[in-house]
Amino acid sequence: MYERAIKLCIEYLVQNKFSLAFGNFYGLPWFLEMDRLFEYWVEHWTFIFAKKIGARFYSDIRKNSKLRFYNLGNWKSLSLLKPDIIIEKENKTLIIDVKYKKHLTYLQYGRNQTSAILEEHRHDLHQLLSYMSSSINEKRIGCLIYPKFHYNVPNQFATLINYTNIRANVDVILWGISFQPEELLTSLEYIWYEKYASFS
């Protein structure tokens, strides 16, 4: 039931992007957790993108993105990890973790950049890199997606350098988006085809 409500809410946002009077749900009250709405919204449009490019699509929402730990003896730790979104085609993997946080703004301007926030951001990066380690594809791109609270906050891009100072063919992106499908789809295209220099 909750999943259906979120899908209807996404439709509501699309219909009412110019005026509340144009939608089919005018006047209906909504109470949804924004972090879940944001995650479902991103999942919906990344699935559209994956279909467009003919890629395989996995997500935690669809319950098919689980990374399992196979017990080789006496394993008592975690049994699985659950990335939010995985897109794969040929020899490339894009893994997306959706974060409804202001960390991109904090990192850019240094505001509220407490040691607790920096440690939480480090945890998010480690989580993303652990997801990426599961892929056997040569090229791996990992994205932490944040809501865009300020339009002048640029996205951030880096490539991983390993312990021998050689590029590891792993790119990491900190990426802010608004509730605009066109913006998300265009951004996904730039990221998938690695046109970072053209993407702000």
Side-chain angles (χ1 to χ4, degrees):
M1 182 60 110
Y2 200 87
E3 285 75 12
R4 173 166 165 72
I6 289 180
K7 288 175 183 174
L8 287 173
C9 196
I10 291 169
E11 187 181 340
Y12 172 83
L13 288 170
V14 171
Q15 288 178 4
N16 294 286
K17 110 175 151 173
F18 300 111
S19 169
L20 288 174
F22 285 114
N24 294 329
F25 307 109
Y26 179 71
L28 291 180
W30 291 92
F31 179 79
L32 292 171
E33 298 166 0
M34 281 304 297
D35 56 341
R36 290 199 68 185
L37 173 62
F38 188 59
E39 184 179 336
Y40 271 74
W41 188 85
V42 171
E43 197 266 359
H44 171 76
W45 289 105
T46 50
F47 174 70
I48 299 295
F49 173 78
K51 281 179 56 178
K52 177 183 172 185
I53 65 170
R56 296 180 300 280
F57 184 84
Y58 310 90
S59 76
D60 184 34
I61 290 171
R62 295 165 194 262
K63 304 187 186 313
N64 64 357
S65 68
K66 293 174 183 167
L67 310 175
R68 294 175 177 83
F69 291 91
Y70 182 73
N71 189 344
L72 295 176
N74 193 29
W75 184 257
K76 302 296 183 186
S77 186
L78 290 172
S79 60
L80 55 87
L81 301 173
K82 298 186 288 185
D84 288 339
I85 295 162
I86 303 171
I87 298 174
E88 282 194 333
K89 184 178 180 183
E90 296 165 355
N91 205 24
K92 182 182 289 188
T93 300
L94 169 60
I95 295 183
I96 296 173
D97 205 25
V98 183
K99 302 293 184 187
Y100 193 74
K101 303 175 180 178
K102 289 186 176 181
H103 285 191
L104 193 58
T105 302
Y106 296 157
L107 292 168
Q108 182 66 27
Y109 296 115
R111 297 175 189 157
N112 303 313
Q113 205 176 93
T114 64
S115 59
I117 284 176
L118 288 174
E119 190 58 33
E120 187 179 346
H121 179 64
R122 181 193 300 275
H123 178 269
D124 292 342
L125 279 173
H126 286 179
Q127 182 182 28
L128 181 66
L129 290 170
S130 71
Y131 295 158
M132 295 168 74
S133 70
S134 69
S135 173
I136 61 171
N137 284 338
E138 180 183 352
K139 181 63 185 181
R140 286 162 284 168
I141 304 169
C143 295
L144 291 176
I145 293 187
Y146 303 96
K148 187 183 285 185
F149 293 104
H150 300 285
Y151 282 89
N152 57 345
V153 176
N155 298 298
Q156 299 182 28
F157 309 90
T159 194
L160 198 65
I161 305 297
N162 76 4
Y163 48 87
T164 61
N165 293 323
I166 296 173
R167 289 183 66 162
N169 217 8
V170 172
D171 294 345
V172 178
I173 300 168
L174 309 181
W175 169 25
I177 62 163
S178 58
F179 275 103
Q180 297 292 334
E182 299 84 2
E183 177 190 348
L184 177 56
L185 292 170
T186 300
S187 300
L188 280 166
E189 187 171 325
Y190 277 115
I191 287 169
W192 181 258
Y193 295 109
E194 301 171 55
K195 299 188 285 187
Y196 307 145
S198 308
F199 181 49
S200 59

